[in-house]
Amino acid sequence: MKVLISSLITGSIMVASSSSVLAQSYAEDEAKEIVRKMDDNADKKVDFKEFYQQEVTDNQDSYDVNRDGYITSGEIELELKEDLIETVSEMNRVGVSEHDADVTITNTLNSVEQKSEQIVKQMDEDGDGLVENDEIELFERKKFEALDRDKDGFLTAADVEKKSKHKGFPIRLK
């Protein structure tokens, strides 16, 4: 089971309220590239099957660390800490001060357990503390529907591109 929950540490994903999932905004060129990479049949639109394939099935990132078919808050916590290492490396690369990097590390480590529990709670429909395959599909369906702004069942660059700022779950292409 491969799952996409993009870099929470760097703020790319904001956990949305449990009632809805809102899409992040993208520039026009970025939106076209997202659709192009997901569009298996080259019709310039992405249906849920293509979206799910890119977001989950083909994605190499997985929070199911022990590959038991479930995602737990502990597994997400481990991944968030690994993301922190990448974030700090990037901060060092671009010349962020040591003080600012230390603040980021401290703040992240203080909140990583709570963030991981929030993610599981948002995805865990049956309340058992585990995220199963059917819950992942439902979660991805909500993301797809939030991105499908004209509600026609397909994502196009126009759907993905949105000038207003929304908190949400960005599409990440590997």
Side-chain angles (χ1 to χ4, degrees):
M1 173 176 70
K2 299 193 175 183
V3 177
L4 172 71
I5 305 174
S6 191
S7 175
L8 294 161
I9 298 301
T10 59
S12 296
I13 291 180
M14 307 292 279
V15 175
S17 68
S18 60
S19 62
S20 67
V21 179
L22 301 173
Q24 175 174 322
S25 59
Y26 294 93
E28 181 180 3
D29 290 342
E30 193 175 19
K32 286 179 182 176
E33 182 65 8
I34 288 168
V35 170
R36 186 192 67 74
K37 286 189 176 183
M38 288 186 170
D39 185 14
D40 292 336
N41 62 3
D43 63 356
K44 296 188 179 180
K45 56 187 181 179
V46 177
D47 62 19
F48 180 70
K49 182 179 176 184
E50 290 169 314
F51 177 82
Y52 190 82
Q53 182 81 18
Q54 175 69 39
E55 290 283 286
V56 178
T57 309
D58 290 346
N59 196 305
Q60 297 303 309
D61 291 340
S62 175
Y63 280 147
D64 184 12
V65 176
N66 64 3
R67 304 286 191 246
D68 64 356
Y70 305 100
I71 298 172
T72 64
S73 61
E75 288 171 316
I76 292 174
E77 189 174 331
L78 177 64
E79 292 295 321
L80 292 175
K81 288 176 181 177
E82 288 178 5
D83 284 349
L84 176 60
I85 293 168
E86 292 175 24
T87 299
V88 171
S89 294
E90 181 64 16
M91 291 173 81
N92 289 335
R93 188 186 70 73
V94 298
V96 172
S97 74
E98 186 174 328
H99 174 267
D100 288 345
D102 288 346
V103 168
T104 298
I105 292 167
T106 301
N107 290 341
T108 300
L109 291 175
N110 287 339
S111 65
V112 74
E113 183 177 344
Q114 181 182 6
K115 283 181 182 181
S116 64
E117 289 172 1
Q118 277 182 310
I119 292 166
V120 168
K121 184 177 179 180
Q122 186 172 3
M123 295 177 75
D124 181 19
E125 293 290 323
D126 62 10
D128 65 357
L130 303 171
V131 180
E132 294 95 2
N133 286 329
D134 60 332
E135 292 169 324
I136 293 166
E137 185 172 346
L138 179 61
F139 184 77
E140 292 299 324
R141 172 86 51 199
K142 289 177 185 177
K143 284 173 46 180
F144 180 85
E145 289 171 358
L147 287 167
D148 182 12
R149 298 194 195 292
D150 61 7
K151 306 302 178 204
D152 66 354
F154 296 97
L155 299 182
T156 63
D159 286 323
V160 177
E161 179 190 357
K162 183 70 175 172
K163 297 297 180 197
S164 65
K165 294 182 179 181
H166 288 285
K167 294 178 182 177
F169 297 85
I171 299 170
R172 190 171 98 192
L173 302 172
K174 280 225 156 216

